[in-house]
Amino acid sequence: MSGEAKQAGAFVKQKIIWLTKSNNESMVRATLAKLRRGIGKPPGSQPDLWNITLNGLPETLMSKSGEATRGEWAVHTALTLYALHQQGKNLKEHCMNQEGISLGAAVRKLVNSNRDNEEAVRRRFLSAVVSDSFEKFCWLLRGVIQLLKTKNIPLDYPMLTEDLYWFQFPDWQDSVRLKWGQDFYRTTKSEEN
C-alpha cells in the first residue's frame, strides 16, 4: 500500500512538471480550467480529464472493478485542487506546488500571514481534518485551498496526494491528522526570531 501512495504522489508530481514545462500557455490554461471543473466530482466522471488524471497512471492504481481506487481518488482530488490553487497565477513565475510544504505547514503560514483571522483559519482547518468522510474532507479542504490561494501560499501537492491516499483508510486517518497537526504547530527558525 505504501508503494501505491508513493506512486500516486509521483504521478501528480510528473503531471505538474509537465504543465510547468509546457510552452503551450493556452493548452495549460485550458487544462487547468478543465481540472477545476472536476473538483468534487468522482474520478473518471469527466472524460475531458482522462488525459491528465488517467493517462500514464500506474496500473497498480487503476480500478479493475469500475469503482475508483484510493489512488485514483487521491490523484484526481490533488490535481483538481492544484488547478484551483494555481488559478489566475503564472505557472512559471508563481507555481503553487512547492516541495516540502505540507498541508499543516501551509496553513501555519496562512495563520502567520493573517493574524486578524487566525481563529477563523484554525477553525476551518480543524473542521476539515476532523471530517468523518473522505468526501466531506475534500469539500472542506477546497475552502482551505482557496484561503491559501488568496495569500499565495504554496503547498506540496505530491505530498498532499500521498496524504489523501492514506486519509481514505479509517485506520490511518489519525496518523495523517497527527502529521498535519505536528506540521501546523512546528516552530520554524524564522518564527522564533
Side-chain angles (χ1 to χ4, degrees):
M1 280 192 304
S2 75
E4 290 179 4
K6 295 262 184 238
Q7 287 178 325
F11 179 79
V12 166
K13 182 177 184 175
Q14 171 193 9
K15 291 297 182 170
I16 292 173
I17 289 170
W18 170 71
L19 287 167
T20 305
K21 290 189 174 188
S22 175
N23 291 323
N24 187 342
E25 197 173 314
S26 61
M27 180 277 298
V28 170
R29 278 197 312 270
T31 300
L32 291 172
K34 287 176 190 176
L35 282 167
R36 285 190 296 276
R37 288 192 295 273
I39 293 174
K41 296 186 172 79
S45 67
Q46 307 285 303
D48 56 343
L49 297 185
W50 292 351
N51 185 46
I52 189 146
T53 61
L54 297 175
N55 185 12
L57 189 69
E59 278 291 320
T60 54
L61 299 179
M62 286 190 168
S63 171
K64 291 168 184 49
S65 67
E67 187 173 318
T69 66
R70 288 177 174 96
E72 288 169 323
W73 270 107
V75 163
H76 176 86
T77 302
L79 286 172
T80 57
L81 290 175
Y82 167 72
L84 173 66
H85 201 166
Q86 193 62 51
Q87 186 178 19
K89 296 171 182 26
N90 181 304
L91 189 58
K92 295 191 188 308
E93 295 173 14
H94 294 95
C95 184
M96 290 294 101
N97 176 64
Q98 187 173 328
E99 189 173 339
I101 302 178
S102 73
L103 180 60
V107 175
R108 166 50 64 196
K109 287 181 178 197
L110 179 62
V111 165
N112 289 345
S113 74
N114 194 1
R115 290 286 184 190
D116 295 339
N117 292 326
E118 180 176 352
E119 195 51 40
V121 170
R122 188 186 327 272
R123 273 195 315 269
R124 184 173 277 194
F125 178 53
L126 293 178
S127 67
V129 299
V130 299
S131 299
D132 55 3
S133 73
F134 182 71
E135 292 78 15
K136 185 175 179 184
F137 168 71
C138 291
W139 177 255
L140 294 170
L141 180 59
R142 177 184 187 174
V144 173
I145 298 300
Q146 287 172 320
L147 291 174
L148 294 172
K149 175 185 168 186
T150 62
K151 294 291 185 177
N152 294 317
I153 297 171
L155 180 62
D156 186 328
Y157 277 89
M159 182 189 302
L160 179 65
T161 305
E162 290 184 37
D163 291 345
L164 291 170
Y165 178 87
W166 290 115
F167 198 80
Q168 294 173 76
F169 292 92
D171 290 346
W172 281 90
Q173 287 179 354
D174 285 342
S175 294
V176 176
R177 287 181 183 120
L178 176 63
K179 176 185 161 204
W180 290 335
Q182 289 167 337
D183 291 344
F184 181 81
Y185 284 103
R186 184 169 282 124
T187 304
T188 64
K189 294 288 182 198
S190 63
E191 290 173 318
E192 291 173 352
N193 298 328

